[in-house]
Amino acid sequence: MGDYLDSSNAFVIDLSKDNSSLSELDYVACDHFEHYLQGLMEREGRNLAWGGYLENRVIYTRSEVFASQQNEYRNIHLGVDIWTKAGRPVYCPLAGSVHSFQDNQGFGNYGPTLILEHQLQDEKLYSLYGHLCRGDLASIRVGQRFRPGDCVGHLGIPAENGNWPPHLHFQLIKRLDGNWGDYPGVCREEDLPYYQENCPNPIPWISPQVLSG
């Protein structure tokens, strides 16, 4: 069972295009990016930083995963990121079963990714957990059930999580549109109306036991 995220252990981080300090950051180099985040946590006296739903970010220019042509550039973040140290357990916020999982390899990608399926009254909802440890996938099977508070994985190191500072990408999805073990976590500005409707705000879900203390 994880801890609730509140002001005693976490703070909201700004990684938007309006954060002028990012213009001085070499966020293509993972170690520089991680050093920046650790410095913010030390300054705030917290060991968790989180935020980013519908945040307009420039950091995705670090990888061609998000753009091969300027008019295809994806920069609107569709989930919530929780930044902390590698190896931290990740917990299921409510009952569900494994829909799919895979290792989405490549610089800037999700790395090991898990998607759970939840039944909420008459509707299905999916939750995505990105940037996990590669070893976590070895013990997961499709259809496997998790109860609220069960550990679903751990945060991966940069060498396996898509070359990002350790963090969890947590996202809610109404319709997977045929995706398996993967779903866009970032969209183009012109596509935001669809994705905002299909990926509801996950912030009300992340307080209950998503990460351990």
Side-chain angles (χ1 to χ4, degrees):
M1 185 70 71
D3 288 345
Y4 287 82
L5 299 183
D6 58 32
S7 59
S8 69
N9 61 6
F11 68 98
V12 177
I13 189 172
D14 178 9
L15 294 178
S16 74
K17 65 181 180 62
D18 299 321
N19 183 348
S20 59
S21 67
L22 294 177
S23 64
E24 304 172 2
L25 174 66
D26 181 10
Y27 43 80
V28 176
C30 184
D31 56 341
H32 290 189
F33 195 0
E34 187 169 0
H35 180 75
Y36 170 80
L37 294 170
Q38 289 176 345
L40 290 179
M41 292 182 197
E42 291 175 4
R43 187 185 70 188
E44 296 288 337
R46 306 289 188 272
N47 57 13
L48 296 163
W50 65 279
Y53 179 61
L54 301 187
E55 195 169 60
N56 188 328
R57 294 175 169 179
V58 297
I59 60 175
Y60 298 120
T61 57
R62 74 195 295 265
S63 170
E64 290 188 358
V65 166
F66 304 100
S68 56
Q69 302 292 332
Q70 185 61 37
N71 63 352
E72 298 175 350
Y73 178 51
R74 295 186 290 134
N75 60 338
I76 306 296
H77 189 249
L78 299 172
V80 167
D81 287 334
I82 306 175
W83 307 85
T84 184
K85 293 183 179 180
R88 293 279 290 268
V90 177
Y91 295 94
C92 179
L94 82 165
S97 61
V98 175
H99 171 274
S100 53
F101 60 93
Q102 70 178 13
D103 191 350
N104 296 293
Q105 299 184 30
F107 183 84
N109 212 329
Y110 280 136
T113 308
L114 171 67
I115 297 178
L116 299 184
E117 179 180 305
H118 312 277
Q119 189 69 42
L120 302 180
Q121 297 181 347
D122 296 330
E123 296 184 357
K124 288 183 179 179
L125 186 68
Y126 302 90
S127 58
L128 182 150
Y129 308 79
H131 312 294
L132 302 177
C133 287
R134 188 164 292 142
D136 290 329
L137 300 187
S139 60
I140 293 175
R141 67 183 188 279
V142 173
Q144 179 177 348
R145 296 199 59 80
F146 288 100
R147 298 168 300 178
D150 283 350
C151 178
V152 300
H154 302 79
L155 297 191
I157 60 175
E160 60 186 2
N161 77 357
N163 206 251
W164 291 96
H167 73 288
L168 172 70
H169 175 92
F170 178 68
Q171 183 171 335
L172 300 181
I173 306 160
K174 293 181 180 179
R175 300 172 300 277
L176 286 173
D177 300 328
N179 285 277
W180 181 269
D182 193 12
Y183 189 85
V186 183
C187 76
R188 302 184 303 171
E189 292 184 49
E190 53 263 47
D191 296 330
L192 180 57
Y194 173 77
Y195 283 105
Q196 185 172 3
E197 185 277 330
N198 197 43
C199 300
N201 187 352
I203 290 177
W205 286 44
I206 67 172
S207 291
Q209 300 96 24
V210 173
L211 280 176
S212 72

